Amino acid sequence: MSTSACITTPIYYVNDRPHIGHAYTTTICDVWSRAARLRGSDVFFLTGTDEHGSKVEKSAAARGILPQALADENAAEFQRVLAVFGISNSDFIRTTQPRHERQVRALLQRLVKTGAVYLGTFEGWYDDGQEEYHTETRARELNYKSPISGKPLTRATEQNYYFKLSAYADRLATHFASHPDFVRPLERSNEMLARLRDGLQDVPITRTNFSWGISMPDAPGHVVYVWIDALFNYITALDLGATDGDRTGGSPYWPADYHIVGKEILWFHAVIWPALLMALELPLPKCIYAHSFWIADGQKMSKSLGNFVDLPTIDRYIAHFGLDAWRWYMATQGPIAATDSDFSAKHFHEIYTADLVNTVGNCPSRVGAMIAKYFDGVLPVDTRPQDPPDSGPSWEAICSNTVSDWERRMAAFDLHGAARVAMDLLRRVDVFINDTAPFKLAKDPANAERLASILNQCAQTVRVAGVLLEPFMPSKMAELARAFGSVPSGEVAWSVRAKYGTIAAGHRIEKLALFPRVDPVKIAPSPS
Ligand code: MSP
C-alpha cells in the first residue's frame, strides 16, 4: 500500500522572469518528491503561478497589454522552464484558473458567514512593492521602509474586509509549542514566535485600489488581496474548497507534508495561512520550511549590481556542466538552512570537480574498468561477503545503515545530509579499493577469489549509492543504473531497489564516464 505525500513551492509572481530563486525552491521540492516516490509514496508536488495583484496590473499596463495576456505569457514561460530544470511536479496551478477563482470565492463566503471575515476600516502603512500593509508597531520596527525594496512605506486608509487574525493568536502559539517542527529551521520558528508574542492584529484581505484580482463575493469594488488569493492555492489545487455547503472535502494529500518557502514570505505561511485554515476548520500543514537566499560575493543578488543569476545565466551553466550538475549544486550547496549561500562560478566548478568528476563519476568508472579488465566485464561471484572478516561491518550492513540514514534525512528535508551519506558510501568504496588494492591482487591468480569478492562488493555498493543519488541527478543515475544492470526506478519496490546484493553474478557491467572534466570557465551573469 502506498502512502500519500504532498509538497508545495510558493506560486511565482508572473511579473518576473524565472531566475535562480525560483529554480532553487522548485529543485529542492523536486528532489524531495523524487525521493518520496522512490520510497513508494504517492506524491502530490504542487507548483504554479501567482497572477493577480497591482504589480501584475502595473507591469501589463507598462507594456500596453492586458494583465491576463502578461500572466499567460509568463505562466507559459514558468511551465517551460520546469522542463529545463527537470522538475516532476504533479500539477501547476494558476490563480487565474476558474477552478481556483471559484473556490476562493466559496471559501471567502464561508469565512464571512462564520464571522472570521468582516468589513472594517484600516489605517496604517503600506509597502507598495510587496502589496503588504503594516501596523504602526511593525512600521516603526522597519524604520518606515520596505524590508524588501528599502522604499518608504506610505500612509494608507481604506475600507476593507478583514480577517480576524487576532482571534487566533493563542491557538497559533499553542500549535507552535506542541509542534516544534511546524516551522523550520528553528531560527525562523523563533522569529515567528517572537512576532506572535507581540500580538496579532486583524488583517485587511480586500483592496479597492486596483481591479486585477478575484472579486470579493457580494461586495462590489472589493478585490481579494493577492496574498490571501495566493495562499488558497495550496487547497484549491486539491479541490478542498469545492464542496457546496459549509463543509470542505478531504484529500489524501492534505495536510501537506511541506510548504517550502523563502524566508521573506514566511510570515504569510507560518501565521496568516495557518490561521485561515483554523478558521476553515481544516488541518494545518505538517511543516513550513523556510530556506534562506542565494547571494553573490556576500551581496544581495540584483539586476542593477550585475550579479543576478537569471535564466540565460542558468542556461549557460546547464550547457557547460549539464542539468544534473546544476541540480546537484542547487540541492547540496544552497541556502536550505538559516544562512545565505554564496553563488559563484568558481565554487560551482570546485564542487563539480570534487563531487561529480572525482567521486560520483570516478568511483563507478574505476569499478567498471576493473571488472572489464579482470573479468571481461562480467560481475564475478562474491564468496567472501565479509572479507577480511575482522575488518568491520559487511558492505551489506554498511549499505543498509546508509539507506536508513538517507531515508530519515530525506523525510526530514535534510537534503544536504541525504546527499552526504550517499556520497560517503562512494568515498568508502574508493577507500576500500585503495586499501585492498585489487590491481595488485590481480597479479597473482591465487587471489582470484578475493579479487572477485572485492569487485562484486564494490559494484553492489556503487549501485545502491546510485539509487540514493537518483533524486538529485535523475538522468545520470539512470545511466549508472543501466550500466550496473539494475532496473530503472518505478518498476521495482523500494525494498528491492535499495537492497544490497541484487546485481546477479554473471551480469554484464558496462563501462561508463558520467561526468567529464570541464574547464573552469567564467560564466558571467547576463548584462543588466
Ligand atoms: N507569489 C509569492 C508567493 C506566494 S505563495 C502563496 C512570491 N513569489 S516570487 O515569485 O517572488 O517567488 C519567490 C520565491 O523565490 C520564494 O520562495 C523566494 O524565497 C525565492 N527566491 C527569490 N529570490 C531568491 C534568492 N536569491 N535565493 C533563493 N530563493 C529566493 O513570493
Side-chain angles (χ1 to χ4, degrees):
M1 196 197 75
S2 81
T3 48
S4 305
C6 174
I7 187 164
T8 67
T9 72
I11 49 171
Y12 304 120
Y13 286 130
V14 284
N15 57 330
D16 209 355
R17 296 263 167 198
H19 56 64
I20 187 171
H22 309 116
Y24 180 61
T25 316
T26 318
T27 301
I28 58 178
C29 289
D30 186 69
V31 170
W32 189 90
S33 298
R34 287 176 187 266
R37 285 193 196 110
L38 260 179
R39 295 197 311 272
S41 288
D42 168 20
V43 180
F44 186 74
F45 166 17
L46 179 66
T47 188
T49 38
D50 188 353
E51 307 192 355
H52 290 130
S54 69
K55 268 201 269 188
V56 176
E57 194 171 65
K58 280 182 200 156
S59 304
R63 281 187 46 196
I65 57 175
L66 290 173
Q68 186 66 63
L70 178 73
D72 289 346
E73 186 182 304
N74 279 343
E77 176 68 355
F78 273 102
Q79 276 170 292
R80 186 187 70 79
V81 302
L82 293 176
V84 174
F85 300 146
I87 304 302
S88 64
N89 56 307
S90 329
D91 195 354
F92 188 96
I93 189 154
R94 302 182 51 188
T95 55
T96 57
Q97 284 169 335
R99 62 166 170 168
H100 175 76
E101 298 197 354
R102 195 173 51 236
Q103 290 180 67
V104 168
R105 289 164 59 85
L107 289 162
L108 285 168
Q109 244 157 354
R110 277 183 39 206
L111 292 173
V112 170
K113 209 163 152 191
T114 59
V117 165
Y118 64 91
L119 190 64
T121 306
F122 175 84
E123 258 194 83
W125 296 92
Y126 189 60
D127 179 340
D128 196 35
Q130 288 302 101
E131 298 182 38
E132 186 180 0
Y133 280 101
H134 293 292
T135 59
E136 183 59 43
T137 326
R138 179 83 185 130
R140 199 176 319 123
E141 268 170 30
L142 296 172
N143 229 348
Y144 301 96
K145 284 193 189 125
S146 163
I148 307 295
S149 67
K151 291 193 185 137
L153 302 175
T154 51
R155 193 81 195 142
T157 312
E158 214 179 316
Q159 204 182 45
N160 288 311
Y161 281 86
Y162 279 76
F163 171 52
K164 236 187 217 170
L165 184 62
S166 58
Y168 297 91
D170 291 346
R171 275 180 70 186
L172 283 168
T174 308
H175 191 82
F176 270 72
S178 56
H179 298 79
D181 283 341
F182 181 54
V183 172
R184 289 175 52 210
L186 185 64
E187 293 87 333
R188 298 277 109 86
S189 180
N190 288 339
E191 277 169 24
M192 293 299 116
L193 270 170
R195 281 179 69 180
L196 265 179
R197 277 189 215 106
D198 287 346
L200 291 177
Q201 293 188 328
D202 294 352
V203 284
I205 60 151
T206 59
R207 301 282 187 267
T208 49
N209 57 353
F210 69 97
S211 60
W212 179 238
I214 300 178
S215 52
M216 180 73 184
D218 314 313
H222 286 271
V223 174
V224 179
Y225 172 39
V226 63
W227 260 104
I228 301 297
D229 168 354
L231 286 167
F232 280 129
N233 92 85
Y234 300 127
I235 56 173
T236 59
L238 295 171
D239 266 354
L240 283 182
T243 46
D244 44 17
D246 288 342
R247 286 177 308 112
T248 43
S251 160
Y253 305 113
W254 192 263
D257 293 271
Y258 286 104
H259 285 321
I260 308 298
V261 301
K263 60 182 175 183
E264 85 287 16
I265 55 175
L266 183 57
W267 179 253
F268 290 104
H269 284 89
V271 175
I272 298 180
W273 177 229
L276 281 167
L277 288 167
M278 285 173 176
L280 290 164
E281 294 177 12
L282 282 169
L284 305 194
K286 292 176 205 156
C287 176
I288 299 146
Y289 191 103
H291 64 73
S292 302
F293 270 56
W294 281 107
I295 52 173
D297 301 318
Q299 281 183 303
K300 197 176 165 191
M301 284 189 185
S302 85
K303 286 178 191 152
S304 52
L305 287 176
N307 60 8
F308 188 74
V309 179
D310 58 7
L311 191 57
T313 312
I314 297 173
D315 281 340
R316 287 198 287 276
Y317 274 90
I318 293 177
H320 195 69
F321 294 96
L323 171 60
D324 280 358
W326 168 261
R327 289 172 57 97
W328 179 254
Y329 191 74
M330 285 290 100
T332 64
Q333 304 301 313
I336 200 162
T339 39
D340 292 341
S341 293
D342 218 33
F343 185 95
S344 84
K346 184 166 166 282
H347 188 231
F348 194 111
H349 182 261
E350 282 164 10
I351 293 296
Y352 177 80
T353 306
D355 287 357
L356 303 187
V357 179
N358 294 347
T359 307
V360 186
N362 190 49
C363 178
S365 124
R366 237 178 141 188
V367 172
M370 285 192 284
I371 293 174
K373 190 160 170 196
Y374 308 132
F375 296 96
D376 289 330
V378 172
L379 187 73
V381 183
D382 175 14
T383 51
R384 307 159 63 138
Q386 195 138 8
D387 179 52
D390 54 351
S391 67
S394 66
W395 281 105
E396 181 166 11
I398 292 170
C399 285
S400 138
N401 287 339
T402 301
V403 168
S404 310
D405 195 6
W406 179 94
E407 285 172 337
R408 258 193 315 275
R409 290 173 187 277
M410 273 295 184
F413 210 72
D414 174 13
L415 305 192
H416 290 195
R420 193 173 54 245
V421 300
M423 291 293 280
D424 284 349
L425 199 53
L426 290 176
R427 295 204 173 100
R428 246 172 128 154
V429 170
D430 273 333
V431 170
F432 181 60
I433 294 173
N434 295 347
D435 289 352
T436 56
F439 28 89
K440 283 190 195 147
L441 295 177
K443 290 184 182 143
D444 182 351
N447 294 324
E449 204 187 328
R450 177 140 192 251
L451 178 68
S453 293
I454 289 169
L455 291 180
N456 182 304
Q457 289 159 25
C458 290
Q460 305 288 359
T461 306
V462 162
R463 188 197 66 80
V464 172
V467 172
L468 303 184
L469 291 170
E470 190 183 303
F472 299 91
M473 298 181 283
S475 59
K476 291 290 180 183
M477 291 307 105
E479 258 181 68
L480 176 66
R482 276 195 298 276
F484 277 66
S486 81
V487 273
S489 63
E491 291 178 25
V492 166
W494 172 241
S495 54
V496 177
R497 287 207 77 213
K499 192 171 149 53
Y500 174 89
T502 57
I503 324 174
H507 203 102
R508 178 157 286 283
I509 305 288
E510 305 292 336
K511 285 209 251 180
L512 85 168
L514 287 173
F515 294 98
R517 218 163 268 287
V518 299
D519 294 333
V521 289
K522 192 164 163 37
I523 298 182
S526 307
S528 49

